[in-house]
Amino acid sequence: MGTLKAMSASNSIPLHKLVEGLSPTRLRRTLRLGWRSLWLHRLRSLLTVLGIVFGVCSVIAMLAIGEGASYEAQEQIKNLGSQNIILRSTKPPEEQKPTDKGSQSSVLQYGITYPDVHRIRSTIPGVSVVLPARNIREYVWHISRRVDCEVVGTVPWYPEMRNHQVAQGRFFSDADMQERRSVCVLGAEMVPSLFPMESPLGKHVRVAGNYYQVIGVMEPSSRVGKTEEPQESGRTILNRMFIPLETAKLRYGEVLMRRRSGSFEAERVQLHEVTIKVSSLENVPGVADAVRTVLERNHKKKDYEIVVPLELLKRAERTKQIFNIVLGSIAAISLLVGGIGIMNIMLASVTERTREIGIRRALGARRHDIISQFLVETVLLSGVGGVLGVLLGIAIPFIVTYAAGMKTIVTLWAPLLAFTISAMVGVIFGIYPAFRAASMDPVEALRHE
Amino acid sequence: MADPILQFRNVQKTYQMGEVRVHALRGITFDIFPGDYISIMGPSGCGKSTLLNVLGCLDRPTSGNYLLGGEDVSGMDDDALSAVRGSRLGFVFQSYNLIQQLTVLENIEIPLYYQGKPEDETRERARVLATKVGLADRLDHKPFELSGGQQQRVAIARALVNDPLLILADEPTGNLDSVSGVEILRLFDELNSQGKTLIIVTHDTTVSLRASRSIRLRDGNIESDVRQ
Ligand SMILES: Nc1ncnc2c1ncn2[C@@H]1O[C@H](COP(=O)(O)OP(=O)(O)OP(=O)(O)O)[C@@H](O)[C@H]1O
Ligand SMILES: [Mg+2]
């Protein structure tokens, strides 16, 4: 019944009349009076607005946190190089048992081999460079200072391929490699512990009784990267020191003795990590499949893993899309709930102010005057809620960044979108109560207690 | 005698209550002239409030014609009727009917606000009228801070603010004690002496004695219409 009445009222009021009722001078006065009515019921207005405040604020805060997280993840993946494919040696699932009966029975043999690298380079087209690396867990000493470190034996083009540049000095050269020189490049993270007072360049560090001259220091690698690259020991190693691959072979031979929770263990691992650079981005998926096939054919056990940053990047983007859809739905629902709250209160307010409506109608208010009065009130409610929500929503990511150290990004469009939607919620959920107010019969309204 | 400002021609008002038809007005015909001071009396349920609602363009007659200031208002649409109420009529109610969240001044200017008059003009006019009804020192008070008699004076100022053809009052002294009731009636006398046309619905014979014309209703018909 009420709805029908409201609908017939809505049909009889042309839009231009509503707009005329909202001319600037008129609007300012209507706004002021609307504010006064809301102020009369401060607590009620505040509680009504909270729905919108939390809706808007959670949208902005969640978007900012999500945006920050996915930005960090994508940066991390990009640092691996989107044109790269990374192979890592991993201990096979049935570990501890010697796999190769022909070799020493106490030596565990697994992982990527030099023949693997050779096969990949010679049989798969589109592979431009291959970067092998041997990782050896050692203590690095400088005089009496000691650092737990991963010694990486690798090739001179490592910095270029892994997007990890030298900050001071230089990386080792082909000549260093061929002559198996005892030179090293330190990771930025270990420098303060080893050389707190001085520049490490030109100094010597000691690893397992051998001295290496420091010729360079790398840039700090991104924080997330370190925690995400799993190490064989199950722990994460912050510190990395780079030496020429040939030097590493000379020093360590083929069999490695590994410290592992106090005891020692012999392992034969030829290469710990191989980075394959694909000549162009489009070839990455094809080359990745080919590499998988080659490795599957030559390894009985799954003693390696393949990381394709491009695939990770695509997956991260898909995850972000799904996240945004979920977020959008949550936002829509919370604003809907906020809107229903506003509508509920406005309907109660219309009933409560029936008498006032009657008085205004008797004193010359036309239906669209009543409509604009109530619409202005709902829009004020949701607008104030929107502004508070935006402020809170911008503040929360800062607090999260400060307190939890998470990266957050507040994009410009998030507050704009949230605010626009909240204002629209005000209009949409205000229309019905406003029309209901306007459709009241003046005589009935005046008689209302 | 001057031209009538208001003409009722066989005005009927019928309410359909399910099966039953209630004839609240059964064909009223009369004219009202400028400066008339009319009291409308009659037993409860005889149609006084209904008549006043039709006179005040709050309700449309079921049949018959109603000319206000020469214009036939009986067929007007809702917006036009609102405009007529806002510009040509003034209302005074038994229960004052002030808007609680507005000040005295703002209550008085409401009719002008809905006519779209600029704010400084309406402010000034409201101030003049508040002074006229003796509330110059209460301009920024809220209704609940005023006595009943003072509230009714605000309502009268509000009824005057648009300089109406006609002021309609339904039991204006019904909620007041005798002293403030008399004050309000004096105000009406004064307004009438200044040429305002007043119609007052009342149960109180002392009110009707002040009026210059007394209409008695019975069962939806005019029983008597006497000038004194
Ligand atoms: N909205 C309505 N619907 C149905 N009947 C109505 C309506 N309004 C008034 N009536 C009927 O019309 C008749 C006249 O009512 P009205 O209110 O005009 O009386 P009144 O003279 O003002 O009475 P009182 O002195 O008690 O105020 C009554 O019988 C009443 O029941
Ligand atoms: Mg009555």
Side-chain angles (χ1 to χ4, degrees), chain A residues 17 26 29-30 32-33 36-37 40 353 355-356 359-367 369 443 446, chain B residues 53 58 78-79 82 85-86 91 93 95 97 99 101-102 106 109 111 113-114 117 119 122 158:
Chain A
K17 287 205 171 175
R26 203 56 191 280
R29 235 167 140 185
T30 315
R32 208 172 56 219
L33 294 177
R36 198 93 65 75
S37 301
L40 195 69
R353 289 158 71 187
R355 189 66 171 263
E356 178 188 330
I359 298 168
R360 290 183 183 275
R361 295 282 275 128
L363 300 178
R366 287 150 296 181
R367 281 187 177 146
D369 292 320
V443 176
L446 274 171
Chain B
N53 289 339
L58 290 164
D78 195 89
D79 275 5
S82 299
R85 288 195 295 268
F91 291 89
F93 302 92
S95 49
N97 278 347
I99 293 175
Q101 68 264 32
L102 302 183
E106 287 163 341
E109 55 180 4
Y113 168 69
Y114 285 119
K117 296 271 163 62
E119 190 168 2
T122 65
R158 186 178 67 185

Side-chain angles (χ1 to χ4, degrees), chain A residues 269-285:
Chain A
V269 179
Q270 294 186 2
L271 289 167
H272 291 93
E273 198 175 284
V274 174
T275 307
I276 299 163
K277 183 157 194 166
V278 182
S279 51
S280 72
L281 217 53
E282 309 88 76
N283 291 343
V284 170

